[in-house]
Amino acid sequence: MDLQPKKSQGVNMRIVASRAGVSIATVSRFINTPDKVSEDVRERVRVAMDELGYFPNELAKAMLAGYSKVIGLLVPSVINPFFAELVINIESLSRKEGYSLLLMNTQDNAEIERESIETLISYRVSAIIVCRSQNRELYKNIRVPVICFENPVVDCKAIINVDNEEGGFLAFQHLFNIGCKSILHIKGPSTFAATEDRYRGFIRGYETLADKEEVKLDVIELKSDFRGNVSESELELIDNYSDYDGVFVFNDIMATALVRVLIRQGIEVPRDMNVIGFDGSHFSQMTAPTLTTVSQNADLIAESCMRAIKYFRSEKNIEDRGQPIVYEVPAELVEGDSTRKKLRQPR
């Protein structure tokens, strides 16, 4: 006869404690602060929990503590490879610190963002990381640390900034240094602060030229970030690509879409056109040709987010109401096969 207790949702800490031969307080310490329990006792409690099929009620723990070991993360869309990579980096670091991650895709929609915040608060998350907000007032008086990747919101605790302006400057310098004389910047929507900074840096690169007559520079602003075929249709409306020998696109996914458009128009990259993107996700190295890009260093952004959360979850800092801490992340040019020095003259 099998005398092992059946695994059941009715199992509680009292039953686990009895099986492990320890007190209920010891089981509680094991669950909440395992480093305060001896290795031998940890193993006994762990075995008992496994045999009984007991899992701590995280929501109940959160109700008692006022917060859970969960981090909320809001991104505009994981379709964008950069945000997908950022999510992976943050999730990996969160797990190492003992946190789980609750991901919300806002679709750059203010109402979805509001609903997402309400959900995160109801789960008593330890902190909220916001990647691009459409309603910055929503975060006013939220009683958990709010960490912003660029685009600061009201009452945020920390801001992680990539040097987008320097990235735009690096993009112009690269195109100029490889010999481009007729350059186009395909700019993102002006509602996004990051794309505005990239534009300013790009123009700054042009302004540093001793002889501005040696380079023709044009700028075209798109209305959308990325929406599949809609974005490619917008790129196809630009009908004079053959006038240029270099183009800087405001992000990698749109730069890749541009390469497809150029191929359909019989313009080869990089023979006829040099293309630079911005983001530096792994996606940029999976295209043909691989994309020259300005990397935002998603791993460093994730590390900065976790550093901020650890700082503000510390008891001595959690009530800090001072100015937001700013973490600066450098931009870095990564050369791929979509640019090269020897160019054929523009047609």
Side-chain angles (χ1 to χ4, degrees):
M1 181 181 294
D2 182 8
L3 298 178
Q4 296 295 318
K6 298 291 185 181
K7 295 184 177 182
S8 168
Q9 291 182 345
V11 176
N12 56 34
M13 282 199 294
R14 184 182 299 278
I15 297 173
V16 173
S18 177
R19 169 61 69 91
V22 299
S23 67
I24 296 174
T26 299
V27 175
S28 178
R29 279 198 299 273
F30 169 80
I31 292 170
N32 295 292
T33 54
D35 56 313
K36 295 183 179 180
V37 181
S38 70
E39 185 175 346
D40 174 64
V41 172
R42 282 202 303 267
E43 183 61 22
R44 285 159 54 193
V45 175
R46 188 181 297 111
V47 169
M49 288 174 62
D50 183 59
E51 290 176 350
L52 295 167
Y54 176 73
F55 299 95
N57 187 325
E58 293 296 332
L59 189 56
K61 287 167 59 181
M63 293 287 286
L64 291 172
Y67 66 91
S68 65
K69 291 289 285 185
V70 176
I71 294 171
L73 174 58
L74 285 81
V75 298
S77 175
V78 291
I79 292 176
N80 186 314
F82 169 74
F83 287 112
E85 187 167 327
L86 184 59
V87 168
I88 291 170
N89 278 280
I90 292 175
E91 193 276 336
S92 178
L93 292 175
S94 299
R95 191 187 312 114
K96 289 179 181 177
E97 296 294 336
Y99 290 93
S100 298
L101 195 67
L102 188 53
L103 176 65
M104 299 288 179
N105 281 275
T106 66
Q107 302 174 39
D108 276 327
N109 181 294
E111 181 59 24
I112 294 176
E113 184 178 355
R114 182 188 63 77
E115 293 171 357
S116 298
I117 294 168
E118 290 176 356
T119 299
L120 295 177
I121 292 173
S122 73
Y123 275 88
R124 287 175 163 75
V125 294
S126 288
I128 297 174
I129 301 172
V130 186
C131 301
R132 208 156 73 191
S133 173
Q134 298 302 314
N135 190 339
R136 300 177 184 184
E137 292 290 330
L138 288 172
Y139 301 84
K140 188 174 183 178
N141 295 326
I142 287 182
R143 297 184 63 82
V144 298
V146 176
I147 314 302
C148 297
F149 169 50
E150 303 178 331
N151 302 300
V153 300
V154 173
D155 287 348
C156 68
K157 292 285 194 178
I159 306 164
I160 288 79
N161 282 333
V162 172
D163 197 342
N164 286 288
E165 184 170 331
E166 179 64 16
F169 180 80
L170 292 174
F172 180 86
Q173 274 196 322
H174 181 69
L175 290 176
F176 178 75
N177 289 339
I178 63 175
C180 294
K181 299 298 183 183
S182 184
I183 301 174
L184 172 67
H185 174 36
I186 297 180
K187 176 181 172 296
S190 57
T191 52
F192 298 152
T195 58
E196 287 295 293
D197 288 342
R198 294 167 196 175
Y199 160 72
R200 278 192 289 269
F202 195 75
I203 296 300
R204 178 163 62 87
Y206 172 74
E207 293 295 334
T208 62
L209 296 180
D211 182 9
K212 297 181 181 57
E213 295 297 323
E214 63 180 320
V215 174
K216 173 190 174 185
L217 181 67
D218 290 326
V219 178
I220 295 176
E221 180 176 330
L222 299 187
K223 296 178 181 178
S224 63
D225 183 359
F226 181 78
R227 289 177 293 146
N229 293 334
V230 175
S231 297
E232 285 201 22
S233 299
E234 199 171 354
L235 290 170
E236 285 175 337
L237 294 175
I238 303 172
D239 58 5
N240 62 334
Y241 288 118
S242 59
D243 293 345
Y244 305 99
D245 54 14
V247 58
F248 167 46
V249 189
F250 69 99
N251 69 20
D252 282 351
I253 198 166
M254 291 297 287
T256 304
L258 173 64
V259 170
R260 291 195 295 270
V261 170
L262 294 174
I263 290 172
R264 289 198 293 269
Q265 295 186 8
I267 300 173
E268 291 189 25
V269 177
R271 188 193 69 180
D272 305 320
M273 176 80 84
N274 289 271
V275 177
I276 295 183
F278 200 114
D279 278 340
S281 66
H282 292 311
F283 173 81
S284 66
Q285 302 308 301
M286 297 171 64
T287 60
T290 58
L291 197 62
T292 294
T293 183
V294 178
S295 173
Q296 298 195 70
N297 289 302
D299 54 340
L300 297 182
I301 295 169
E303 288 175 13
S304 298
C305 288
M306 289 309 302
R307 193 179 307 126
I309 289 171
K310 288 172 67 177
Y311 175 83
F312 284 109
R313 285 275 29 134
S314 168
E315 288 186 10
K316 65 180 180 179
N317 299 320
I318 198 165
E319 294 299 328
D320 188 335
R321 298 294 177 183
Q323 290 297 312
I325 297 175
V326 178
Y327 298 82
E328 298 289 352
V329 177
E332 178 185 8
L333 183 75
V334 178
E335 292 190 45
D337 297 328
S338 64
T339 59
R340 69 180 182 190
K341 285 190 176 181
K342 292 183 179 180
L343 302 173
R344 195 175 75 172
Q345 291 298 315
R347 296 175 296 177

